[in-house]
Amino acid sequence: MHDGERPWLTELRALFPNDRVSTNPTVLEQHSHDESYHPPHFPDAVVFPESTEEVARLLRFANARRIPVIPFGVGSSLEGHVVPVRGGISLDLTRMNRILDVRPADFLVHVEAGMTRTALNRALARHGLFFSVDPGADATLGGMAATNASGTTAVRYGVMRDQVRGMTVVLADGRVIRLGGPYVKSSSGYDLKQLFLGSEGTLGVITSLWLRVFGLPEAAYAARATFPSVRQAVEAAHAMLRYGLALARVELVDRTSIRQMNAMKGTTYPEADTLFLEFHGSPAALEADLPAAEAIARDGGGTAFEIEREKEARDRLWEARHHLAYAYLHAHPGKKQLVTDVCVPLSVLADGIELARRELEARGLEGGVLGHIGDGNFHTIVMIDADDPADVARAEGLHEALVRYALSVGGTATGEHGVGLGKLKYQAEEHGEALSLMQAIKRLLDPAGILNPGKKIPLPPDESTG
Amino acid sequence: MHDGERPWLTELRALFPNDRVSTNPTVLEQHSHDESYHPPHFPDAVVFPESTEEVARLLRFANARRIPVIPFGVGSSLEGHVVPVRGGISLDLTRMNRILDVRPADFLVHVEAGMTRTALNRALARHGLFFSVDPGADATLGGMAATNASGTTAVRYGVMRDQVRGMTVVLADGRVIRLGGPYVKSSSGYDLKQLFLGSEGTLGVITSLWLRVFGLPEAAYAARATFPSVRQAVEAAHAMLRYGLALARVELVDRTSIRQMNAMKGTTYPEADTLFLEFHGSPAALEADLPAAEAIARDGGGTAFEIEREKEARDRLWEARHHLAYAYLHAHPGKKQLVTDVCVPLSVLADGIELARRELEARGLEGGVLGHIGDGNFHTIVMIDADDPADVARAEGLHEALVRYALSVGGTATGEHGVGLGKLKYQAEEHGEALSLMQAIKRLLDPAGILNPGKKIPLPPDESTG
C-alpha cells in the first residue's frame, strides 16, 4: 500500500468518540518505538480505548479488514515488542487505568490493564498491601502480563505468571473471554491464562487482571556485599538462598556497572563486583539473618558487607540499581542499548556471567553485567551506535554467543524481557518441534494475523498481514 | 462395536514386546475404575510402555485407528478421570518410574511420569531435599501433573502447576515435544506447559517432568487447635496467615470428621471443629511463631491448642488427616464417596463451609467437611450407596448446590481434583465463552478425539470416538 492516510481511517473515526483516535504525528512518533535499539516504525493511527467493549469494537473492525493491531502500554519494552513494523493501529491502553476492586481479605486486586505498577502500589499502601513484581520501569500491568515481566523481587515473590489469578481477554475477532478469577487455585477447564501471559499481544488483548498482592513486610533491610569476582558473589548468594535466609532481592552488579552508577548517581559504592540484597520479615528474624548473611559473604571471600536499615538509604540503593540502564545511556550520549536476558540453571550461572564478561572484552564492547542471580537470569548491557551496522553486528554477536551458551546448558533465550523482534531468530532452536504447536495456536487464535504481527513467534512470510 | 476382542489387538501386540500388552481380566478390572463412585468400564487392553518412544508408537497406532487412549497412573483420581468410558487402551505409565536427574544445586529433579511422589521423596531425602505437593494419595507425578493436584502443603509451597519447570509430552499423533526446562523462568515462546498441566490426559501424554524441589526444613512442628465452630476456626487460620506465621499446612477438620478419625485411627482428639497446623522454619523462628499462633487461636475463641514437636506424633496427626477419606469408607462398609472440591475467595470461605454443613444435614446425608483453608478450597465427603439412584441424586444435589454457590461468588467447581466425568456439566457455566476456545484447542491437539474421550471438556456427541 502507498504511503499517506489509509482509506479505512474515516471508518475508524466514525466508530469512536473524537478523542479516542489520533493521527497526530507526535502521537504516532510516541507509538513508533520502545526503549531498545530496534528501528522505529510509525503506526497509521493510535486508538485510546476506555473500556473492554471499545477494545472489542476496535478488534472486530481491524480483524474484518486485516489491519495490524499492536497493544501498547508505556512503551518500556526492550526488544521492539510495540514497534508497528507493518503499520496499522497502535492500541494504547493507558486510559484503562482504574482499580476495579481491592480485596484485602482475599489478598487480591482487580485492575484494568493500563494501570502502572507504581500507581497500583500507591493505592495499595493504605491497605497495608503491595504488588510485588518490580521490573524497574514503571510499566503497565497489562504490558507486564503480556511479557511475563519479573525483576528484582521474583526470587521471593515470583514472576508475573505467578501473580495473575484471572483476566479478561479480547480475542482477535472481538469475542471477550474471562479466565480464572478471584480464587487461589483451580483444576477446572484448561488453564488458558498462561497462553496469554507472555504472548506479547500476539494472541489477544488483555484488558483486566486479578492480581495477587502481599502484606507489606514488617521490616525490610538492605545490604551490599562486595567480592573479588563475580563467581564468588554468585556462589555466596546461592549459599544464602540454600540457607533459607529471608531474601527478597538478590542482585549482582558487576564492577563496571558500579562505576557507571557512582558516576550518575553520586553514590560512592566501592568499585567491586557487588551483591545488592534485601531482606523482608519480622525485625527479630532479620536481625538473625543479617549476621548469617554476612558470615556467608565473608566465608565466600567477601571484602565488605554494609547494611542499610533506613528506608532512605535503601531506596537510594534500589533506585541506583534500577536506573543502571539509564546510567549507561547517560554516560554514552547518542548511543542505544542492546540488553541480553538469558536464564540458565543456577548451577552454571557463574559460568554464564564469566562468559558475558569475556565476550564484552573480546569484542571491545562497552557495557556490564547485572543479574537476578536467585533466578539464574542475568543481563549484559551493551552500548551501541545504532547507526553503525558494524557496531550493531558486534553486539548481536555477543547476544548470539550468550543465547547459544544458554541453550547448550538447557536454558532459555529470554528470562523476562520477551522475544519481540530481537529473539525471533532463536525460537526454532529453543523450542524445536514445540514451535509448530505454538504456530498452530497462533493461527487458531488469530487467523487473519492482525495481532502484533512479526513478533514473538516466527511464521512463514505468506502468513503475515499489513 | 460388538463385545469381545477387538480386531486391532493382534496388530497392537505385534508392535511391542510381549510383556507390554495385557488383556488379562484382572488387569482390565484394575484399570476400569478410580477411587470414586463413578461406574467402572473395562478397557479393551492395557499397555505398559517403558519409554517416551513406546508411548509415541502407541499413540501413532491408536490415532490412525481412532482408538481411545486413557493415561493411567495409580488410579487414585476422584471424578472418574481414568475410567475408559468408551473402551480402548488404558495406558499405564507406572513402569516409567525412574529418576532421570537430581540437581541439588538447581533445586530440580527430572523424573519419568510414572514415579510416585513418595518414591521420589525417599530418593530426595539423601540430598536434604523434598518434593512438596502432597495430595494424600501416593499418586504418580504424571497423574498429579495431569490433574494439577495440590493438597495440604499448597498454602506454603504452591500447587502442582507451580512446581513443573519443564516436561516431555507426546501429542495425539505421536509427535514428541519438550516444553520449558531446568531453569526458573522464561519469556520465550508461548508457555504451553500450563495447557497440559490439568488437562487430564485429553491433550497429550506427559512422560517426564522437571520438578522444583525444596530444602528439607530445619524444623517442623505440628499443632492442633480446637474451636466451637468452623467459622471461628477459619477466621483464626486466616489471621495466622495474615500475620505471616511460617505455616506449611493449615487444615480444617470438622467435628464429624474428627469422630471418624478417632474411630478408625484410635486417636483421642477432642470432637470439635479443629485446625491441623504445621510450621516449617528454623527452630528459633518456630519457637516464636507457636505462641503467636496460640494467642491468635485463643483470641478467636479457640478452646485448646496442642503442639506436637516430635516427628512421630506429627506423622500420626497427618496420617490421620490423610486417611480421613478411608476412615469414612471404613465406617460405612459397601458405600462409596462423592467428594466436593470447590474453591472460593478466602473472604467467603466460612460461608461456603457453613453451607456445606447445612446441606449435609438438610439432605440427611452422612459425611463431613475438611478444608485446605489457606487456599479457600474445601471438600465435603458424602457417603453414598452407588447402587441407589435416590442416594446418588441426593449427594449430587449437594454437589450442585456447592458448585452453584462457588460460581456465584466468583469461585471454581474444582480446586484440585479436576473435572473427570463428575464436573463436566459445570464447565459451560463456569467458563462461558472461554469454553469455546478450550474446545477449539482440544480439536487442534486431538483431531481424532482419541485422548481420554468423554472427560474434562464437554464436546458435541458427534465429535466423540470409540
Side-chain angles (χ1 to χ4, degrees):
Chain A
M1 180 165 297
H2 64 83
D3 282 333
E5 175 139 323
R6 304 278 182 170
W8 46 259
L9 275 168
T10 312
E11 264 186 289
L12 175 66
R13 288 196 188 93
L15 269 185
F16 292 99
N18 257 347
D19 68 332
R20 304 286 200 283
V21 181
S22 176
T23 53
N24 175 310
T26 307
V27 173
L28 297 184
E29 192 284 330
Q30 284 162 351
H31 294 78
S32 69
H33 63 86
D34 63 4
E35 293 188 2
S36 71
Y37 67 102
H38 292 285
H41 193 289
F42 276 40
D44 296 297
V46 180
V47 172
F48 298 88
E50 298 191 1
S51 67
T52 296
E53 195 283 314
E54 289 187 354
V55 173
R57 199 188 309 163
L58 186 273
L59 285 173
R60 281 192 299 271
F61 172 83
N63 196 50
R65 289 157 188 79
R66 304 178 85 90
I67 302 164
V69 174
I70 302 92
F72 190 98
V74 303
S76 56
S77 63
L78 294 169
E79 283 292 6
H81 305 57
V82 298
V83 181
V85 288
R86 296 173 198 168
I89 296 163
S90 182
L91 184 64
D92 185 314
L93 289 145
T94 51
R95 289 192 198 165
M96 291 182 66
N97 61 357
R98 291 171 305 166
I99 294 190
L100 302 171
D101 201 355
V102 182
R103 297 211 193 163
D106 291 319
F107 291 93
L108 286 172
V109 62
H110 194 197
V111 297
E112 290 184 321
M115 171 165 243
T116 67
R117 65 174 185 87
T118 62
L120 174 59
N121 271 324
R122 280 195 300 275
L124 289 174
R126 82 182 66 123
H127 301 280
L129 298 170
F130 78 107
F131 176 70
S132 64
V133 184
D134 181 356
D138 190 17
T140 62
L141 295 156
M144 290 167 65
T147 46
N148 183 32
S150 45
T152 52
T153 59
V155 66
R156 170 75 161 267
Y157 299 100
V159 303
M160 201 67 194
R161 288 193 194 288
D162 303 314
Q163 317 309 331
V164 178
R165 298 294 195 205
M167 53 168 64
T168 306
V169 181
V170 185
L171 300 179
D173 59 10
R175 275 183 297 159
V176 177
I177 62 173
R178 288 182 178 79
L179 303 172
Y183 47 79
V184 171
K185 65 185 194 185
S186 175
S187 289
S188 186
Y190 299 139
D191 187 354
L192 303 183
K193 291 194 303 294
Q194 298 293 341
L195 263 191
F196 295 97
L197 292 169
S199 70
E200 303 178 17
T202 63
L203 297 179
V205 179
I206 298 167
T207 59
S208 81
L209 294 159
W210 279 102
L211 297 171
R212 176 167 70 153
V213 295
F214 294 89
L216 283 164
E218 224 185 320
Y221 300 155
R224 281 180 294 109
T226 52
F227 293 84
S229 71
V230 287
R231 178 171 293 276
Q232 284 161 296
V234 169
E235 287 173 356
H238 287 177
M240 291 176 201
L241 290 167
R242 276 196 301 277
Y243 202 76
L245 301 185
L247 287 161
R249 308 188 201 240
V250 192
E251 295 290 303
L252 172 75
V253 183
D254 75 353
R255 62 187 70 195
T256 322
S257 302
I258 293 282
R259 192 178 314 133
Q260 298 288 349
M261 194 180 272
N262 286 339
M264 182 184 177
K265 287 288 175 179
T267 46
T268 55
Y269 301 144
E271 287 186 14
D273 298 317
T274 303
L275 291 181
F276 282 26
L277 305 168
E278 187 162 290
F279 300 79
H280 287 180
S282 69
L286 298 197
E287 292 299 345
D289 276 7
L290 284 168
E294 177 162 5
I296 290 170
R298 301 267 181 206
D299 284 355
T303 49
F305 190 90
E306 301 289 336
I307 298 169
E308 314 271 27
R309 278 191 178 74
E310 298 310 316
K311 185 170 185 318
E312 196 177 294
R314 214 170 65 232
D315 288 350
R316 189 168 57 235
L317 185 152
W318 291 113
E319 185 187 283
R321 163 63 190 82
H322 280 136
H323 289 182
L324 191 48
Y326 303 111
Y328 272 102
L329 286 169
H330 186 77
H332 300 84
K335 291 209 170 185
K336 302 231 168 185
Q337 291 183 334
L338 181 150
V339 185
T340 75
D341 178 42
V342 297
C343 185
V344 298
L346 294 177
S347 52
V348 296
L349 175 61
D351 296 344
I353 291 174
E354 286 183 347
L355 173 64
R357 291 183 55 118
R358 282 199 307 276
E359 285 283 330
L360 278 171
E361 283 170 34
R363 293 172 192 268
L365 290 162
E366 293 218 57
V369 179
L370 46 158
H372 308 308
I373 57 180
D375 307 323
N377 179 213
F378 68 94
H379 306 304
T380 320
I381 296 181
V382 188
M383 302 312 302
I384 52 177
D385 177 351
D387 298 325
D388 176 357
D391 207 34
V392 173
R394 268 198 302 278
E396 286 187 342
L398 173 146
H399 192 181
E400 183 150 336
L402 287 178
V403 171
R404 296 239 173 275
Y405 173 74
L407 298 183
S408 77
V409 294
T412 177
T414 167
E416 58 183 14
H417 293 172
V419 174
L421 297 163
K423 295 176 196 114
L424 266 182
K425 61 185 166 197
Y426 306 121
Q427 296 299 297
E429 183 174 344
E430 177 166 349
H431 301 296
E433 183 64 38
L435 181 62
S436 65
L437 184 50
M438 296 178 193
Q439 291 167 329
I441 283 174
K442 167 71 176 171
R443 288 180 198 115
L444 177 71
L445 279 157
D446 181 22
I450 65 162
L451 290 172
N452 205 1
K455 317 288 171 60
K456 189 74 188 181
I457 292 292
L459 290 169
D462 61 324
E463 288 188 46
S464 59
T465 187
Chain B
M1 179 167 295
H2 63 82
D3 282 333
E5 176 141 322
R6 303 278 183 169
W8 46 259
L9 275 168
T10 312
E11 263 186 291
L12 175 67
R13 288 196 187 93
L15 269 185
F16 293 98
N18 257 346
D19 68 331
R20 303 287 200 285
V21 182
S22 176
T23 53
N24 176 309
T26 307
V27 173
L28 297 184
E29 193 283 330
Q30 284 162 352
H31 293 78
S32 70
H33 63 87
D34 64 3
E35 294 188 2
S36 71
Y37 68 100
H38 292 286
H41 193 290
F42 277 40
D44 296 297
V46 181
V47 171
F48 298 89
E50 298 189 2
S51 67
T52 296
E53 196 284 312
E54 289 188 353
V55 174
R57 199 188 309 163
L58 186 274
L59 285 173
R60 280 192 299 272
F61 172 83
N63 195 50
R65 290 158 189 79
R66 304 179 85 89
I67 302 164
V69 174
I70 302 91
F72 190 98
V74 303
S76 55
S77 63
L78 294 170
E79 283 293 4
H81 304 58
V82 299
V83 180
V85 287
R86 295 173 199 169
I89 297 164
S90 181
L91 185 64
D92 185 316
L93 289 146
T94 51
R95 289 191 198 165
M96 292 183 65
N97 61 358
R98 292 172 306 166
I99 294 190
L100 302 171
D101 201 356
V102 182
R103 296 208 191 166
D106 291 319
F107 291 94
L108 286 173
V109 62
H110 193 196
V111 296
E112 290 185 322
M115 172 165 241
T116 68
R117 66 175 184 87
T118 62
L120 174 60
N121 271 323
R122 280 194 300 276
L124 289 174
R126 82 183 65 123
H127 301 280
L129 299 170
F130 78 108
F131 176 70
S132 65
V133 184
D134 181 356
D138 190 18
T140 62
L141 295 156
M144 289 167 65
T147 47
N148 183 32
S150 45
T152 51
T153 60
V155 65
R156 169 74 162 267
Y157 299 101
V159 303
M160 201 68 194
R161 290 194 193 288
D162 303 315
Q163 318 307 328
V164 177
R165 299 293 196 206
M167 52 168 63
T168 306
V169 180
V170 185
L171 300 179
D173 60 10
R175 275 184 298 159
V176 177
I177 61 172
R178 287 179 180 82
L179 302 172
Y183 47 79
V184 172
K185 66 185 193 183
S186 176
S187 290
S188 185
Y190 298 139
D191 187 354
L192 303 183
K193 292 195 303 295
Q194 298 293 341
L195 261 191
F196 295 99
L197 292 169
S199 70
E200 303 178 16
T202 63
L203 297 179
V205 179
I206 298 168
T207 59
S208 80
L209 294 160
W210 279 101
L211 297 171
R212 176 167 72 152
V213 295
F214 294 89
L216 283 164
E218 225 186 319
Y221 299 153
R224 280 180 295 108
T226 52
F227 293 84
S229 71
V230 287
R231 177 171 294 274
Q232 283 161 297
V234 168
E235 287 173 357
H238 287 176
M240 291 176 200
L241 289 167
R242 277 196 301 277
Y243 202 76
L245 301 184
L247 286 161
R249 308 188 201 241
V250 192
E251 295 289 303
L252 171 76
V253 184
D254 75 353
R255 62 188 68 198
T256 322
S257 302
I258 293 280
R259 192 178 314 134
Q260 298 289 348
M261 194 180 269
N262 285 340
M264 183 185 176
K265 287 288 175 179
T267 46
T268 54
Y269 301 144
E271 288 185 13
D273 298 318
T274 304
L275 292 181
F276 283 26
L277 305 168
E278 187 162 289
F279 300 79
H280 288 179
S282 69
L286 298 197
E287 292 300 345
D289 276 6
L290 284 168
E294 177 162 3
I296 290 170
R298 301 267 182 206
D299 284 355
T303 49
F305 191 91
E306 300 290 333
I307 299 168
E308 313 271 27
R309 280 191 177 71
E310 298 310 315
K311 185 170 185 318
E312 196 177 293
R314 212 170 65 233
D315 288 351
R316 188 168 59 237
L317 184 152
W318 290 113
E319 186 187 282
R321 163 62 189 84
H322 281 135
H323 289 184
L324 190 48
Y326 304 111
Y328 272 102
L329 286 169
H330 186 76
H332 299 84
K335 291 210 169 184
K336 302 231 168 184
Q337 290 181 335
L338 181 149
V339 185
T340 75
D341 178 41
V342 297
C343 184
V344 298
L346 294 177
S347 52
V348 296
L349 176 61
D351 296 344
I353 291 174
E354 286 182 348
L355 173 64
R357 290 182 56 117
R358 282 200 308 274
E359 284 284 329
L360 279 170
E361 283 170 35
R363 293 171 192 268
L365 290 161
E366 293 219 55
V369 179
L370 45 158
H372 308 307
I373 56 179
D375 308 323
N377 178 213
F378 68 94
H379 306 304
T380 321
I381 296 181
V382 188
M383 302 311 303
I384 52 178
D385 178 351
D387 298 326
D388 176 357
D391 207 35
V392 173
R394 267 197 303 279
E396 287 187 341
L398 174 145
H399 191 181
E400 183 150 335
L402 287 178
V403 171
R404 296 238 174 274
Y405 173 73
L407 298 183
S408 76
V409 294
T412 176
T414 167
E416 58 183 14
H417 292 173
V419 174
L421 297 164
K423 296 180 196 108
L424 266 183
K425 60 185 165 195
Y426 305 121
Q427 296 299 295
E429 183 175 343
E430 177 166 348
H431 301 297
E433 183 62 40
L435 181 63
S436 65
L437 184 49
M438 296 178 193
Q439 291 167 329
I441 284 174
K442 167 71 177 172
R443 288 178 197 116
L444 177 71
L445 279 157
D446 181 23
I450 65 163
L451 290 171
N452 205 3
K455 317 287 170 59
K456 188 73 187 177
I457 293 292
L459 290 169
D462 61 324
E463 288 187 46
S464 59
T465 186

